[in-house]
Amino acid sequence: MVKITFPDGSVREYEQGVNGLQIAESISPALARDVVSCGVNGETVELNRPINEDSTIALYKWDDEEGKHAFWHTSAHLLAEALQELYPGIQFGFGPAIENGFFYDVLLPDGAMIKESDFTTIEKKMTELAQKKEPVVRHEVSKADALKEFAAAGQTYKCEHIEQDLEDGTITTYTQGNFTDLCRGPHILNTGLIKAIKITSVAGAFWRGDASREQMQRIYGISFPKKKMLDEYLVMLEEAKKRDHRKIGKEMELFMFSDRVGKGLPIWLPKGTELRLRLQDMLRKIQRQYGYQEVITPHIGSKNLYVTSGHYAHYGKDSFQPIHTPEEDEEYMLKPMNCPHHCEVFAWKPRSYRDLPLRIAEFGTVYRYEKSGELHGLTRVRSFTQDDAHIFCRPDQVKGEFLRVMDIIQTVFRVFDFKNFEAQISLRDPKDTEKYIGSDEVWEESETAIKEACAEKGLNARVELGEAAFYGPKLDFMVKDALGRRWQLGTIQVDYNLPQRFHLEYTAEDNTKQTPVMIHRAPFGSLERFTAVLIEHTAGHFPLWLTPDQVAILPISEKFNDYAAEVCKYFDSVGVRAQVDDRNEKIGRKIRDNELKRVPYMVIVGEKEAAEGLVSMRKQGGGEQATMTKEEFAQRVLDEVAAMTSGI
């Protein structure tokens, strides 16, 4: 018999060799119908995988992240199986599950290409195969047998993957119908669970991400266990297109890109710059309350700085290459991280335990060479500004600093109405502690501090073993936007590595020299990514305090342009942001255009308004309308802003 421990701590005994499906059946038939995969000792596996020793178990349904991953992983194999039938001679690269669906990298023979017009045919073939309810069968194979099998199938890329990346004794394949793939799993038990399929897009992708290698096609898709779910997803997808931050950013004149300037290098236009500066001012105001000191560091640094920090070894390939100066052997790099500079700020003078915690903040612009195919608006760029801060503290101060940073992040989320968010505590793998630096005592202390901080805040954080950075545990915040999409924004990370590498020290109370703990934190993540998420969350309808133009003043005709300018001047004098639309256009056209620009308020001025010192107010979206004095309207706007920002 084996003892199976459930997530609630309860224990049941089963015969050795029992599997997840049988365990679900022993609990209830309904659970057995809904479960799609299971976690055994923290590893997600198929429901028919035998359990031969005492284990912990979690049963995953479709709604669970692990359940979706297994479902979409099998769907990726189903896509490949369909493509194999439709395009004889096709070559396969990699085909994983992703956050929303799956993809497969493929190369068709003789230069043929899959086009959008082919999507329906692929979907039909996938549906036909799914309806056969083909079992997904796992096999352990030797390296020699794997090479022989995939060479016989003519799969060049699979053979390269086996030869270069896989070790004998670790290789598994999964077979469904006539299709076999190299894979570690996990998968659902059979393809019959896949009821609704949509191929969403096709893009170019270099083999292994190497631009010097062959360009393959990456076929994206998504699948569901019910057609209703797909229908709801497609509606959400259409809404997402309307909310695309690239489209709205152009309509609102917030930012731009220029091929002459360079790919992935955003230029903030005047209105976007105003918005960005207000974001910075908001966080500055909050940070001052928590004792942060702001610094400004250069956009470049000596290559040796990043060699010392370890960033060159770990991220050198993803950075812009070193800049060679006229001086022999002198090399600089565009700054990929702010942390090494902040370590130097700490080190520039002797520090005492009385100086700690030292909280150093910077809106620091960094540069990373993202591949051109991965660039996407403001969410994936080569130049971005982090709302970065680094806290240098004693080990016994870690928990308190975590609590303070969590307060800041939750204030930011509250201001922007991000009500739906999750937190994840990432800890080291207790079975493989050698890949982490720092003593067991220090790790235990810091991990306990994070857990206790979350408990004190009533934050129900998910714990993930093995997801910690090599230098310390971390806490990440994932926000769900108005469409239910997840975005990682705020992060807090504990770091024992950099202080050691830079030989940072402070004089302790007993006069000994000690190494501080370093905490990295960024509530926004980056101003670019945060702005993109905020645009898509609000569909461009920013909070009144943040939006670039709070009021558009629309004169009915040119005769009232002077009065409109007078009103605008008054608004400016009392702190209401306004602009005059004095184009020679009909008032209906002006209203439509300013609706498109998401201006929260429009005030219309004509003969009556000019004669009596009034404005006719119209709220965004054709809602409330009223006539009042310009003073009354300005006060209304100021009161509304004050109410919104009272918690900052």
Side-chain angles (χ1 to χ4, degrees), residues 34 131 134 138 158 174 196 317 319 334 372 392 411 432 445 451 517:
D34 291 342
Q131 289 172 346
E134 297 170 333
R138 179 178 183 267
K158 295 292 183 183
Y174 284 80
K317 291 181 180 179
S319 302
L334 289 171
S372 59
F392 299 89
T411 298
D432 186 14
E445 187 174 351
K451 292 175 186 175
V517 180

Side-chain angles (χ1 to χ4, degrees), residues 420-594:
N420 193 353
F421 64 88
E422 303 169 350
Q424 176 180 306
I425 301 172
S426 299
L427 307 179
R428 67 174 178 169
D429 185 350
K431 296 179 181 178
D432 186 14
T433 58
E434 291 186 3
K435 64 181 180 181
Y436 306 95
I437 68 162
S439 68
D440 291 343
E441 292 76 19
V442 167
W443 271 88
E444 187 173 333
E445 187 174 351
S446 59
E447 290 180 343
T448 299
I450 296 174
K451 292 175 186 175
E452 289 180 353
C454 289
E456 284 190 28
K457 290 295 180 186
L459 191 63
N460 186 22
R462 186 173 75 245
V463 175
E464 290 289 344
L465 298 177
E467 292 298 313
F470 71 93
Y471 49 74
K474 60 180 181 173
L475 179 65
D476 292 324
F477 290 83
M478 273 69 70
V479 167
K480 283 192 176 181
D481 67 12
L483 297 181
R485 298 170 299 178
R486 289 202 328 162
W487 304 87
Q488 183 182 328
L489 292 180
T491 185
I492 320 172
Q493 302 178 1
V494 179
D495 186 350
Y496 299 97
N497 179 46
L498 282 188
Q500 292 178 8
R501 295 183 74 105
F502 280 89
H503 304 293
L504 302 183
E505 61 182 26
Y506 65 93
T507 303
E509 197 169 3
D510 62 0
N511 218 33
T512 60
K513 298 296 182 183
Q514 301 293 331
T515 302
V517 180
M518 186 177 181
I519 297 176
H520 307 245
R521 57 109 271 212
F524 292 151
S526 79
L527 290 168
E528 287 74 11
R529 183 178 175 81
F530 187 84
T531 299
V533 173
L534 190 61
I535 290 172
E536 300 201 5
H537 178 59
T538 64
H541 299 287
F542 298 119
L544 186 62
W545 67 269
L546 179 65
T547 194
D549 291 318
Q550 294 170 323
V551 184
I553 304 169
L554 314 181
I556 287 176
S557 71
E558 293 179 6
K559 290 189 296 183
F560 306 108
N561 284 354
D562 290 344
Y563 179 62
E566 178 188 323
V567 171
C568 189
K569 185 176 180 181
Y570 171 73
F571 286 166
D572 184 60
S573 71
V574 297
V576 174
R577 297 188 295 278
Q579 50 93 11
V580 177
D581 185 348
D582 56 6
R583 295 174 299 158
N584 186 22
E585 296 282 359
K586 292 182 178 180
I587 192 67
R589 173 65 184 274
K590 290 182 181 181
I591 290 172
R592 286 194 300 274
D593 288 350
N594 284 282

Side-chain angles (χ1 to χ4, degrees), residues 71 74-75 77-79 81 126-137 175-177 187-197 223-225:
F71 191 94
T74 303
S75 300
H77 283 214
L78 183 66
L79 167 62
E81 184 183 7
M126 289 179 70
T127 302
E128 173 192 318
L129 293 169
Q131 289 172 346
K132 293 181 179 180
K133 299 182 180 180
E134 297 170 333
V136 184
V137 182
T175 299
Q176 62 199 52
H187 287 277
I188 57 178
L189 293 182
N190 70 76
T191 61
L193 298 175
I194 303 169
K195 305 291 187 184
I197 300 159
S223 59
F224 297 90

